[in-house]
Amino acid sequence: MRESFFQKKFDQYFLKDKNIAKKIVKNLSFQNYNTVVEIGPGLGILTRYLLTPWNKVFLIEIDKKLILFLRKNFSVSKNQIIHKDFLKWNPEEMNLKNFAIIGNFPYRISSQILFHILRYNQYIPECIGMFQKEVAERITSHEGNKTYGILSVLVQTFYEVKYLFTVNKHVFFPIPNVKSAVISLKRKERKIFCNKDLLFQCVKIAFNQRRKTLKNALQYFKEIPNYYNLPFLNKRAEQLSVKDFLQLTKEIENRK
Ligand code: SAH
């Protein structure tokens, strides 16, 4: 049956193992929220464990064929099964202000999915997601590691991240070329003290020239005087902690 649905263009790898599906869903805490948005439900292997009488579920799926399948097979009201590209979905249009995200994400756009989550982080206290293992490692990596980069800093600014478990590629149809891993994001409840857009800009500029010291990479912001006295300006981006990046952004902001 799965075979007749598979579409490569939508990055579809259907999970076959119910125990893994259960294990993924069990990681949702349901602390202070009761709405869950699933990205790319596919044939609904995760969905069936999300549907309980005490929570509300929205499914966002790009593939029309799968939308029809979900509408036929799950007793979820029509307006909760949404035919849309998640990257174009705006929770404000539905007045959704507090919900968790879950999904076995389409890997090709997983970074963009994360950026979309970060855009709306004020509404999203938690996310449990399956990623390509390599991407999961990048998201959960810390300073000083090769895999530490833009995604690590930006996601960890807003969320506590945890690598939950690795998933073997043989539990999918079709079998992907890569291993997978499930991670959790739990929102840090303190507010950041610098400008969000400037932070994104700063982190991207620093890592896009990752061989340069910060002082050189950040020449872009002409407002940073040379005598400027931050202890880490002679380091490279991958040596800076999340906290360092926040402090740096604040300093740039103050000088603008
Ligand atoms: N959750 C299912 C399917 C995972 S495959 C399972 O675990 O078996 C990824 C799913 O994401 C597919 O259903 C695919 O159609 C959907 N998808 C791909 N791109 C999408 C997008 N931009 N927005 C929403 N869904 C998308």
Side-chain angles (χ1 to χ4, degrees):
M1 188 200 50
R2 287 182 210 104
E3 288 76 348
S4 63
F5 280 98
F6 166 64
Q7 289 212 68
K8 203 167 183 175
K9 70 170 174 186
F10 292 131
D11 217 4
Q12 290 169 350
Y13 295 96
F14 299 111
L15 185 61
K16 293 188 294 186
D17 187 320
K18 287 185 184 141
N19 288 323
I20 295 178
K22 239 187 266 181
K23 195 167 155 193
I24 295 171
V25 173
K26 250 176 64 188
N27 279 288
L28 287 170
S29 74
F30 288 104
Q31 262 172 16
N32 306 321
Y33 66 85
N34 59 9
T35 301
V36 181
V37 172
E38 185 182 355
I39 305 174
L43 296 165
I45 185 160
L46 297 179
T47 317
R48 70 181 69 247
Y49 300 108
L50 291 173
L51 299 172
T52 65
W54 52 86
N55 58 315
K56 188 159 191 185
V57 177
F58 291 90
L59 310 173
I60 304 179
E61 173 57 63
I62 200 168
D63 185 347
K64 182 79 193 176
K65 226 167 144 190
L66 291 172
I67 288 284
L68 298 176
F69 175 89
L70 292 163
R71 289 202 171 134
K72 207 164 132 197
N73 290 282
F74 288 91
S75 53
V76 179
S77 87
K78 229 179 153 188
N79 65 352
Q80 285 167 247
I81 304 183
I82 302 160
H83 182 211
K84 198 158 187 134
D85 175 351
F86 174 72
L87 301 178
K88 297 192 177 129
W89 180 70
N90 176 353
E92 287 163 354
E93 283 169 10
M94 294 172 56
N95 209 20
L96 276 191
K97 297 271 164 83
N98 190 35
F99 56 92
I101 294 254
I102 195 164
N104 169 11
F105 298 141
Y107 293 165
R108 252 181 306 201
I109 57 163
S110 59
S111 303
Q112 291 168 68
I113 288 176
L114 280 170
F115 280 109
H116 205 65
I117 290 172
L118 294 181
R119 187 166 306 137
Y120 294 111
N121 71 304
Q122 73 268 35
Y123 307 135
I124 309 174
E126 196 170 284
C127 167
I128 308 291
M130 173 122 68
F131 292 83
Q132 181 180 333
K133 181 167 186 273
E134 191 210 359
V135 176
E137 282 166 353
R138 280 203 269 137
I139 298 163
T140 52
S141 178
H142 296 290
E143 69 268 26
N145 288 305
K146 263 217 177 98
T147 49
Y148 184 66
I150 297 172
L151 270 185
S152 341
V153 178
L154 293 178
V155 174
Q156 289 173 39
T157 295
F158 300 98
Y159 291 93
E160 292 295 345
V161 296
K162 200 165 162 198
Y163 188 100
L164 297 174
F165 54 91
T166 308
V167 181
N168 188 300
K169 53 188 177 186
H170 296 285
V171 298
F172 296 94
F173 177 85
I175 299 173
N177 291 325
V178 293
K179 280 191 186 165
S180 303
V182 178
I183 63 171
S184 87
L185 314 182
K186 293 207 164 141
R187 193 172 56 201
K188 296 178 173 172
E189 289 308 339
R190 54 142 188 71
K191 294 267 170 284
I192 61 162
F193 51 81
C194 62
N195 180 286
K196 191 170 164 183
D197 292 338
L198 190 63
L199 171 72
F200 277 56
Q201 200 184 5
C202 195
V203 172
K204 283 180 186 168
I205 287 171
F207 277 101
N208 284 338
Q209 307 169 73
R210 53 160 72 226
R211 296 245 188 86
K212 289 189 184 171
T213 62
L214 259 276
K215 202 157 53 187
N216 289 331
L218 295 174
Q219 287 303 318
Y220 177 90
F221 298 104
K222 300 207 172 48
E223 296 82 358
I224 306 183
N226 281 337
Y227 57 82
Y228 179 53
N229 193 20
L230 281 174
F232 42 73
L233 276 189
N234 287 319
K235 293 187 179 174
R236 294 192 312 269
E238 65 204 43
Q239 298 170 296
L240 261 66
S241 69
V242 171
K243 221 170 124 203
D244 293 339
F245 271 109
L246 292 173
Q247 196 188 345
L248 178 67
T249 307
K250 186 73 200 161
E251 295 289 344
I252 295 173
E253 199 177 329
N254 287 343
R255 272 151 216 278
K256 270 191 177 285

